[in-house]
């Protein structure tokens, strides 16, 4: 199969074994709190991550997002880096705490930053992809009840409307939320993410209110007449039973319910899965769901975005080995197992087949419109060698294998339209601080110097060729 994507006319291409479809979006992703810094600039208000990071013991090394990669002041140079890489799309998030004025209303100076960023991207020939909520809830709204309170969803709708009116003529793809699973279950369930609450009940209520926020967000984007596609980014995964036994299959069903179907079903079928409601009945009676909510949540989308890192391997936990710290409500009797084989610096297993299977499962079970992989990538302890190079062969291999798995999914029928590496830059990796580096571009946090890693050069070549060769 030595052909290239038909629409690629660039003189620089070399024929590849695995060409991607014409118009495929080749991107990289970031999130506001992880890269921007400038937490006090232009009227930005504190978010739950500012508060959480300032709380001793929450973040490795006591790191915070106060300076991060200083992208707020360096976005021009960062867009130039993206252009050097040949990215055709860039996924960033808009910070709600920049756009919301203290006490409510809109802060035009905060919104203006994203206006400049979007114009700079377009001038560089890069399509802007915006996420409205990548975990940085304004602290004021958490103080009023946060995501376990219904009103927060309506506030999100107002914020989404303001951003849609300002950027709606230029953003090509919108994500209302990023990974609501993490916001709900890590933020309100185990408390390892901001705001650090530990209540399975609050976590399940947060799930519903996040979905409701998505619904209000979609309505606001449509009402503003945005020209781009409207979507949401889920950390959808592949959940496999350890053994072929009824008990392990039931464990996999339960986790698949709480990871995937609890979001996919309301979004794409207009109802929560009945087995998930039954599994969680001891935690909540789900009276937070009101008439009309599911109609709002299930408003048609133009695409579904998925973030993928690793699959889950689960079994029924033997008696006496229940996990009281699981993020999954009513799942103490499920045990999680490492997938045999290599892991990244996060300890996450490397299994590209999980990406392929997830894309095909969503296609089969939900018949979605277009799909995008809006995050995929790996942390490694990169070293800058004496010649200034970063030889991150493991990251290149990771990306190569996952792109090949994505290609398999396309060949088998998934309507995958784009792929975004997590991340453009090394950045603030939430509870892990700056210790974990995911970037295609290395950041020296003392000097803010950016250096393209070898994986970035590899990715640039793949983009220029419109595809990859089969991994060997
Ligand atoms: C995802 C997050 C992203 C980043 C990667 C490693 O869950 O969306 O911000 O932290 O993990």
């Amino acid at each position: 199969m030595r052909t290239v994507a038909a629409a690629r006319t660039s003189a620089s291409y070399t024929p590849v074994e695995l060409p991607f479809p014409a118009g495929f979006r080749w991107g990289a992703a970031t999130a506001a709190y992880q890269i921007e810094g400038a937490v006090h600039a232009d009227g930005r208000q504190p978010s739950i991550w500012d508060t959480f990071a300032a709380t001793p013991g929450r973040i490795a090394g006591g790191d915070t997002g106060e300076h991060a990669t200083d992208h707020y002041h360096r976005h021009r140079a960062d867009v130039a880096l993206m252009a050097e890489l040949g990215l055709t799309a860039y996924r960033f998030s808009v910070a709600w705490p920049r756009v919301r004025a203290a006490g409510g209303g809109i802060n035009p100076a905060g919104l203006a930053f994203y206006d400049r960023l979007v114009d700079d991207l377009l001038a560089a020939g890069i399509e802007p992809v915006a996420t409205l909520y990548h975990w940085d809830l304004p602290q004021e709204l958490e103080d009023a009840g946060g995501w376990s309170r219904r009103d927060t969803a309506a506030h999100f709708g107002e914020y989404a409307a303001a951003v849609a009116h300002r950027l709606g003529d230029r953003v090509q793809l919108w994500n209302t939320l990023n990974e609501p699973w993490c916001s709900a279950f890590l933020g309100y369930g185990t408390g390892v993410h901001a705001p650090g609450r530990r209540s399975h009940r609050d976590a399940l209520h947060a799930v519903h209110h996040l979905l409701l926020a998505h619904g209000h967000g979609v309505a606001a984007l449509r009402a503003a007449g945005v020209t781009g596609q409207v979507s949401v980014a889920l950390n959808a995964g592949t959940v496999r039973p350890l053994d072929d036994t009824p008990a392990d299959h039931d464990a996999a069903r339960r986790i698949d319910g709480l990871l995937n179907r609890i979001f996919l079903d309301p979004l794409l079928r207009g109802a929560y899965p009945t087995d998930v409601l039954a599994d969680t009945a001891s935690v909540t009676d789900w009276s937070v769901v009101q008439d009309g909510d599911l109609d709002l949540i299930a408003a048609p989308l133009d695409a579904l975005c998925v973030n993928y890192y690793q699959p889950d391997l689960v079994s029924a936990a033997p008696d006496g080995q229940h996990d009281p710290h699981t993020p999954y409500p009513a799942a103490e009797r499920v045990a999680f197992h490492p997938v045999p084989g290599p892991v990244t610096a996060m300890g996450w297993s490397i299994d590209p087949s999980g990406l392929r299977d997830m894309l095909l499962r969503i296609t089969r079970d939900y018949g979605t419109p277009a799909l995008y992989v809006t995050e995929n990538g790996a942390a490694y302890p990169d070293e800058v060698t004496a010649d200034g190079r970063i030889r991150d062969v493991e990251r290149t291999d990771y990306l190569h294998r996952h792109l090949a798995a994505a290609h398999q999914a396309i060949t088998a029928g998934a309507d995958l339209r784009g792929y975004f590496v997590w991340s453009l830059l090394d950045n603030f990796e939430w509870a892990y601080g700056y210790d974990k580096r995911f970037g295609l571009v290395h950041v020296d946090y003392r000097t803010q110097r950016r250096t393209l890693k070898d994986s970035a050069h590899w990715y640039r070549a793949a983009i220029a060729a419109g595809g990859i060769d089969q991994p060997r």
Side-chain angles (χ1 to χ4, degrees):
M1 198 168 55
R2 286 222 159 243
T3 54
V4 288
R8 282 236 163 225
T9 50
S10 151
S12 64
Y13 75 72
T14 43
V16 287
E17 292 168 350
L18 306 177
F20 279 71
F24 192 78
R25 287 178 164 142
W26 297 91
T30 62
Y33 189 72
Q34 296 181 274
I35 63 163
E36 286 179 358
V39 293
H40 304 296
D42 299 328
R44 180 184 179 277
Q45 298 298 305
S47 80
I48 54 175
W49 273 96
D50 296 278
T51 310
F52 192 71
T55 310
R58 295 300 206 175
I59 312 291
D63 291 343
T64 76
E66 189 173 355
H67 302 295
T69 68
D70 197 31
H71 172 76
Y72 193 77
H73 297 117
R74 295 166 194 266
H75 72 273
R76 280 249 149 89
D78 288 341
V79 171
L81 273 177
M82 297 173 210
E84 196 182 329
L85 277 171
L87 299 188
T88 67
Y90 170 58
R91 175 178 182 243
F92 60 95
S93 81
V94 177
W96 192 353
R98 289 198 192 281
V99 173
R100 181 185 156 95
I106 297 302
N107 170 33
L111 203 40
F113 169 69
Y114 301 101
D115 203 50
R116 294 193 294 275
L117 175 63
V118 162
D119 280 346
D120 288 348
L121 288 167
L122 290 172
I126 300 166
E127 293 186 314
V129 175
T131 301
L132 289 171
Y133 185 69
H134 202 125
W135 307 354
D136 44 0
L137 183 70
Q139 181 63 44
E140 267 186 1
L141 294 179
E142 172 60 22
D143 295 342
W147 287 116
S148 55
R149 181 175 167 169
R150 188 176 173 89
D151 289 0
T152 305
H155 289 301
F156 179 80
E158 292 155 19
Y159 153 66
V163 182
H165 282 291
R166 188 74 182 255
L167 308 180
D169 55 338
R170 286 159 292 155
V171 166
Q172 302 294 311
L173 171 62
W174 294 87
N175 290 153
T176 51
L177 310 175
N178 176 71
E179 301 189 1
W181 184 92
C182 293
S183 300
F185 293 120
L186 303 183
Y188 291 80
T190 61
V192 299
H193 279 186
R197 279 201 240 167
R198 288 192 185 143
S199 157
H200 285 321
R201 190 162 187 272
D202 286 357
L204 288 173
H205 294 177
V207 166
H208 183 63
H209 295 142
L210 282 153
L211 283 168
L212 197 58
H214 160 83
H216 283 298
V218 171
L221 291 162
R222 300 289 188 209
V226 300
T227 52
Q229 292 177 297
V230 174
S231 182
V232 58
L234 303 178
N235 48 320
T238 296
V239 185
R240 295 173 174 143
L242 182 66
D243 288 320
D244 192 13
T245 61
D248 288 4
H249 277 284
D250 194 58
R253 175 201 59 75
R254 184 177 286 255
I255 298 306
D256 178 53
L258 290 164
L259 174 66
N260 297 316
R261 291 181 290 112
I262 196 172
F263 296 103
L264 289 167
D265 278 31
L267 287 165
L268 299 168
R269 293 183 176 162
Y272 284 104
T274 48
D275 64 318
V276 173
L277 297 180
D279 286 346
T280 54
S282 62
V283 183
T284 176
D285 62 5
W286 288 95
S287 56
V288 290
V289 182
Q290 297 185 7
D291 282 355
D293 286 1
L294 283 155
D295 291 340
L296 194 65
I297 291 167
L301 297 175
D302 304 313
L304 183 73
C305 294
V306 288
N307 300 345
Y308 174 84
Y309 291 92
Q310 60 169 346
D312 286 304
L313 188 59
V314 302
S315 71
D319 280 346
Q321 291 181 27
H322 299 163
D323 178 7
H325 303 298
T326 172
Y328 293 93
E332 296 80 3
R333 289 165 182 274
V334 176
F336 286 78
H337 302 271
V339 176
V343 295
T344 69
M346 298 294 280
W348 296 350
S349 57
I350 302 171
D351 185 349
S353 74
L355 173 61
R356 178 201 60 210
D357 292 355
M358 181 260 281
L359 293 169
L360 290 174
R361 183 271 177 106
I362 292 176
T363 303
R364 186 190 67 227
D365 289 357
Y366 295 92
T368 68
L371 288 167
Y372 291 92
V373 173
T374 38
E375 287 183 26
N376 177 238
Y380 285 106
D382 302 317
E383 268 177 46
V384 186
T385 47
D387 59 359
R389 258 177 71 184
I390 298 110
R391 293 173 166 77
D392 58 338
V393 281
E394 291 164 303
R395 180 174 295 103
T396 301
D397 190 59
Y398 181 100
L399 298 175
H400 192 174
R401 289 180 189 285
H402 283 78
L403 267 166
H407 192 276
Q408 283 177 8
I410 294 173
T411 306
D415 184 11
L416 183 67
R417 307 269 184 97
Y419 173 91
F420 294 73
V421 175
W422 183 271
S423 179
L424 175 71
L425 301 167
D426 290 338
N427 61 47
F428 176 78
E429 179 46 37
W430 308 113
Y432 296 89
Y434 295 100
D435 189 43
K436 302 290 183 232
R437 293 178 177 272
F438 274 90
L440 290 166
V441 177
H442 179 272
V443 177
D444 178 333
Y445 292 111
R446 266 184 322 110
T447 60
Q448 291 295 352
R449 181 151 185 261
R450 273 79 159 138
T451 309
L452 266 57
K453 301 178 191 176
D454 281 6
S455 59
H457 294 291
W458 173 84
Y459 193 46
R460 173 168 56 191
I463 297 171
I468 54 174
D469 281 333
Q470 199 69 255
R472 316 269 169 217

